[in-house]
């Protein structure tokens, strides 16, 4: 048995080389019996990832933990032949929030002795013939069916040109309009790489240096203490390496589309890193937002921050690349040829919701507010593959400053690093440059494979789009290099596990107004940072909750310690989870958590 303890002392990973066991459940039971901290916990859900990397079978079991403990516990079982290995993770959610990349690296690198990784280094890629393109499209269609994804925008690049672009499925499941190459999707955090490209052009012009203090360019910038502020260089704004925790709850709930762009800097001034520079990967949208606004300010210092950024991106990035579908303007983006956001509800039906949730990113749009199409994102990916030369043959940015964005600033997985607004990965003996995007009802990724000059763009209009994307990339690798046939199994496992998670949540909830009324909640609660929470009755008599501008139905969840939580079951609040309680003065409270922050609403 091997045990690794996080520096904070409150999170432990234990690996048990167990040997033979009757099955996965028996292996998990035997291994967890060796970890006293798990005594008394029960397994809430077990999922079965695809058996890859030399394993014959894999399961991951999640333990049910009272929410007040802010704790995470799982047991992942791996079988090769008749031998089982079990990895157990148990500890503080806050520490997991800081060191999740390290846990992911440990679990991803656990392989049976003697396993030989696929290695396509030096191998010439197969051409993307019409037959291979059709095979990938067929694979994506299969994934759409399994995951209930209504529409996908897709593009494939090879040899410096787009060899296929178009759409699969529907823009909106309520209609018949098909997705095409120019259908707009919200591309969310894929905006980051484009915004750092703006910084690269400014570096070429001598208007900034990557190692320059941010305060030398924008004197009012603040991050926590004076000492931390002085340490922040331009590259730190987009490296996910400053130790700044994710802090999205405030802008998601308290934000408004009309909030000024300067709010990014207000929030950063009140935020302190929770780990050292370069120590761990911690993704923070506010820092990326600040980077984009800094670029806009340097390009057009007399304009308001948001207007300056929009103009700089339009004139310096989108127009030179011919990205005519791409915009930050929600009013333009959501008219005509655009894909509606969807999610699969607890009843397994696809539902469409409005853009209120997504509009809250507008004030922080350099981090994730762009709308684009498969055609347009492909133009950007070709620039990445061509090291700064546009598809029309003109140099937009120097290779030096484009490639600076791929520096290995901090490890975010096994053989994977975050640079500046994008990630790089070494897998199968190949290099990948990529990023993903996630907003409500939209999941997307782009990939550039420099070894073969191939690129892939996948844009989806579904909250469950992500489980389709990595298997599709794997399928592309199989087609290019005659790789092992694993993509289909990965996709099937993803489909099963997404449905299992939805059904597990549904089984934990008590639907109906009676259970809600029995909680004796106050009609209104307030938090100084996030604003009000209130309750109402929906058209079908269901209990509804409203967080600021976000609303939807809720159900009651009974927790293992006897407490109760309210869980959003649809609309803008799907998956929101607040703990019902009282404070020391007996006032009724609702507690909302993310891994490193706690927000308490009090009645009144």
């Amino acid at each position: 048995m091997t045990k690794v303890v996080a520096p904070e002392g409150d999170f432990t990973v234990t690996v048990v080389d167990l040997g033979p066991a009757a099955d996965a459940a028996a292996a998990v039971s035997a291994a967890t019996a060796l970890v006293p901290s798990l005594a008394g916990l029960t397994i809430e859900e077990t999922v079965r990832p695809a058996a890859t990397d030399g394993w014959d079978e894999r399961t991951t079991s999640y333990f049910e933990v009272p929410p007040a403990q802010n704790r995470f516990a799982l047991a992942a079982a791996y079988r090769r032949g008749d031998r089982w290995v079990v990895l157990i993770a148990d500890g503080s959610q806050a520490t997991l929030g800081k060191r999740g990349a390290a846990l992911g690296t440990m679990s991803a690198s656990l392989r049976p002795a003697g396993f030989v990784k696929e290695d396509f280094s030096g191998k010439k890629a197969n051409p993307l013939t019409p037959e291979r393109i059709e095979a990938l499209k067929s694979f994506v269609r299969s994934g759409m069916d399994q995951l209930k994804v209504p529409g996908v925008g897709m593009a494939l690049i090879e040899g410096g040109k787009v060899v296929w672009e178009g759409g699969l499925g529907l823009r909106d499941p309520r209609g018949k309009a098909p997705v095409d190459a120019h259908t707009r999707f919200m591309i969310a955090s894929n905006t980051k790489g484009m915004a750092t490209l703006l910084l690269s052009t400014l570096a070429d012009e001598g208007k900034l240096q990557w190692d320059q203090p941010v305060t030398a360019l924008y004197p009012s910038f603040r991050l926590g203490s004076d000492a931390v502020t002085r340490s922040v260089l331009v590259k730190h704004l987009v490296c996910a390496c400053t130790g700044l925790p994710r802090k999205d709850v405030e802008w998601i709930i308290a934000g408004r589309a009309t909030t000024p762009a300067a709010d990014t800097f207000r929030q950063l001034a009140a935020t302190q890193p929770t780990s050292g520079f370069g120590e761990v990967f911690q993704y923070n949208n506010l820092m990326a937002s600040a980077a984009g606004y800094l670029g806009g300010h340097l390009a057009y210092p007399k304009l308001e921050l948001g207007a300056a950024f929009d103009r700089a991106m339009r004139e310096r990035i989108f127009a030179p690349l011919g990205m005519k579908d791409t915009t930050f303007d929600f009013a333009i983006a959501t008219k005509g040829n655009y894909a509606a956001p969807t999610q699969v509800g607890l009843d397994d039906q696809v539902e469409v919701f409005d853009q209120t949730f997504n509009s809250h990113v507008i004030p922080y749009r350099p981090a994730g507010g762009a709308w684009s199409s498969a055609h347009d994102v492909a133009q950007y990916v070709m620039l990445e593959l061509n090291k700064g030369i546009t598809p029309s043959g003109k140099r937009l940015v120097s290779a030096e400053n484009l490639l600076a964005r791929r520096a290995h600033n901090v490890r975010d997985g096994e053989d994977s690093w975050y640079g500046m607004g994008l990630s790089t990965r070494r897998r199968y003996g190949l290099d990948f440059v990529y990023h993903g995007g996630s907003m409500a009802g939209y999941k997307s990724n782009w990939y550039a494979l420099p070894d073969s000059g191939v690129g892939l763009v996948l844009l989806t209009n579904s909250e469950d789009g992500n489980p389709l994307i990595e298997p599709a990339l794997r399928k592309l690798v199989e087609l290019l290099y005659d790789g092992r046939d694993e993509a289909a199994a990965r996709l099937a496992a993803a489909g099963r596990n997404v449905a299992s998670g939805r059904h597990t949540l549904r089984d934990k909830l008590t639907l109906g107004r009676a259970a809600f009324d029995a909680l004796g909640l106050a009609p209104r609660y307030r938090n100084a940072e996030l604003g009000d929470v209130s309750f109402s009755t929906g058209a079908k008599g269901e209990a509804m909750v409203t967080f600021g501008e976000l609303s939807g139905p809720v159900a009651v969840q009974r927790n293992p310690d006897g407490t109760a939580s309210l869980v959003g079951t649809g609309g803008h609040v799907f998956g929101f989870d607040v703990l019902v309680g009282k404070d020391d003065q007996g006032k009724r409270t609702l507690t909302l958590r993310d891994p490193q922050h706690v927000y308490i609403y009090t009645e009144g």
Side-chain angles (χ1 to χ4, degrees):
M1 185 168 69
T2 301
K3 183 180 292 187
V4 179
V5 181
E8 292 79 3
D10 60 1
F11 198 99
T12 302
V13 177
T14 305
V15 179
V16 182
D17 189 355
L18 192 67
D23 55 21
V28 169
S29 178
T32 55
L34 302 174
V35 181
S37 63
L38 296 178
L41 296 185
T42 59
I43 292 174
E44 179 176 64
E45 179 188 12
T46 296
V47 298
R48 295 182 175 275
T52 58
D53 287 346
W55 298 109
D56 297 321
E57 183 180 355
R58 291 177 57 197
T59 67
T60 303
S61 298
Y62 298 92
F63 291 88
E64 187 174 24
V65 178
Q69 293 184 13
N70 200 31
R71 178 183 174 191
F72 174 85
L74 70 71
Y78 306 76
R79 180 180 63 82
R80 175 68 177 266
D82 65 349
R83 294 190 62 83
W84 288 90
V85 175
V86 181
L87 181 149
I88 299 165
D90 179 29
S92 161
Q93 282 275 11
T95 297
L96 178 64
K98 283 191 283 186
R99 303 190 183 276
L103 175 61
T105 300
M106 291 177 67
S107 60
S109 60
L110 190 61
R111 297 185 180 89
F115 172 71
V116 178
K117 295 182 183 180
E118 284 180 301
D119 188 350
F120 304 125
S121 56
K123 183 176 181 179
K124 184 178 180 180
N126 296 321
L128 285 174
T129 61
E131 293 76 16
R132 291 191 176 97
I133 292 171
E134 188 55 44
L136 183 60
K137 289 165 59 180
S138 178
F139 181 88
V140 172
R141 287 191 193 97
S142 173
M144 293 169 65
D145 290 342
Q146 293 179 53
L147 292 160
K148 301 180 184 288
V149 175
V152 168
M154 176 174 153
L156 282 164
I157 299 156
E158 182 183 47
K161 63 181 181 180
V162 175
V163 294
W164 190 87
E165 62 178 14
L168 305 171
L170 303 174
R171 300 181 210 164
D172 187 325
R174 299 169 298 187
K176 296 182 179 180
V179 175
D180 62 34
H182 295 279
T183 299
R184 287 184 299 277
F185 295 75
M186 197 172 196
I187 62 169
S189 287
N190 288 307
T191 309
K192 290 180 172 71
M194 299 174 187
T196 60
L197 191 61
L198 169 63
L199 300 185
S200 294
T201 67
L202 294 166
D204 281 344
E205 296 171 11
K207 293 184 177 180
L208 65 80
Q209 298 173 20
W210 299 114
D211 291 324
Q212 190 172 12
V214 174
T215 51
L217 301 169
Y218 195 75
S220 61
F221 174 81
R222 291 290 180 273
L223 179 63
S225 69
D226 290 343
V228 172
T229 297
R230 289 192 297 269
S231 301
V232 180
L233 309 179
V234 172
K235 65 182 180 183
H236 292 144
L237 294 175
V238 280
C239 71
C241 65
T242 59
L244 202 65
R246 195 157 191 152
K247 198 178 181 183
D248 294 341
V249 169
E250 291 183 31
W251 64 261
I252 288 173
I253 292 180
R256 299 291 185 273
T258 55
T259 299
D263 191 66
T264 285
F265 296 96
R266 178 194 67 80
Q267 289 199 46
L268 284 174
T271 305
Q272 189 75 18
T274 58
S275 58
F277 278 31
E279 181 183 353
V280 294
F281 170 76
Q282 290 206 73
Y283 195 80
N284 184 277
N285 282 307
L286 292 173
M287 289 287 271
S289 178
Y293 286 139
L294 172 65
H297 174 71
L298 293 176
Y300 302 106
K302 295 183 179 180
L303 294 180
E304 180 269 334
L305 287 172
F309 173 72
D310 294 347
R311 180 177 175 183
M313 292 297 293
R314 184 172 61 249
E315 295 181 357
R316 288 169 166 261
I317 305 300
F318 300 152
L321 284 170
M323 297 172 66
K324 297 180 181 180
D325 301 324
T326 306
T327 182
F328 290 104
D329 190 319
F330 263 63
I332 292 173
T334 55
K335 290 180 180 178
N337 189 5
Y338 86 100
T342 71
Q343 63 192 7
V344 181
L346 294 180
D347 59 359
D348 292 331
Q349 299 302 304
V350 176
E351 64 173 318
V352 178
F353 48 94
D354 68 36
Q355 299 287 355
T356 305
F357 185 110
N358 291 328
S359 72
H360 288 188
V361 80
I362 291 174
Y364 318 98
R365 54 194 174 276
W371 293 77
S372 194
S373 65
H375 170 84
D376 277 18
V377 178
Q379 309 310 302
Y380 164 71
V381 176
M382 282 191 284
L383 183 86
E384 292 284 356
L385 286 166
N386 294 336
K387 298 181 180 179
I389 297 175
T390 68
S392 64
K394 296 181 180 179
R395 180 163 291 283
L396 178 64
V397 60
S398 69
E400 177 186 1
N401 280 312
L402 179 136
L403 294 175
R405 297 154 55 249
R406 303 182 193 176
H408 292 178
N409 285 317
V410 65
R411 186 181 293 274
D412 62 2
E414 185 190 22
D415 298 325
S416 178
W417 298 266
Y418 202 79
M420 289 189 281
L422 45 74
S423 289
T424 59
R425 175 196 299 168
R426 182 75 177 171
R427 186 170 294 178
Y428 316 126
L430 305 171
D431 290 321
F432 297 81
V433 184
Y434 63 99
H435 208 281
S438 174
M439 283 296 290
Y442 297 104
K443 311 299 175 192
S444 57
N445 271 73
W446 62 267
Y447 297 94
L449 285 65
D451 302 273
S452 59
V454 168
L456 171 66
V457 177
L458 285 172
L459 314 178
T460 81
N461 64 336
S462 172
E463 192 65 16
D464 290 330
N466 268 342
L468 167 62
I469 291 171
E470 278 286 341
L473 174 65
R474 171 65 200 185
K475 181 64 176 180
L476 176 62
V477 170
E478 291 174 9
L479 292 167
L480 290 173
Y481 294 99
D482 301 316
R484 298 169 184 151
D485 186 8
E486 295 182 354
R490 295 186 187 192
L491 180 59
R496 289 193 304 269
N497 293 337
V498 167
S500 172
R502 191 164 57 242
H503 299 159
T504 296
L505 175 60
R506 184 177 64 198
D507 292 344
K508 290 170 57 180
L509 301 179
T510 302
L511 304 175
R513 185 77 198 200
F516 173 85
D517 290 339
L519 294 177
L521 299 174
R524 184 176 297 273
Y525 295 76
R526 182 162 184 79
N527 175 274
E529 296 169 292
L530 304 183
D532 291 350
V533 170
S534 60
F535 301 101
S536 60
T537 301
K540 298 179 181 179
E542 72 275 31
M544 301 285 290
V545 65
T546 298
F547 292 84
E549 291 186 330
L550 308 180
S551 63
V554 291
V556 176
Q557 173 183 295
R558 289 293 174 181
N559 302 313
D561 60 355
T563 59
S565 295
L566 292 177
V567 178
T569 60
H572 303 125
V573 301
F574 188 84
F576 278 35
D577 187 328
V578 292
L579 178 65
V580 178
K582 291 184 178 181
D583 65 16
D584 293 340
Q585 285 74 45
K587 286 192 173 183
R588 289 170 288 186
T589 61
L590 298 174
T591 301
L592 175 67
R593 287 182 168 86
D594 71 14
Q596 297 188 63
H597 303 92
V598 178
Y599 303 92
I600 298 176
Y601 291 85
T602 304
E603 67 174 305

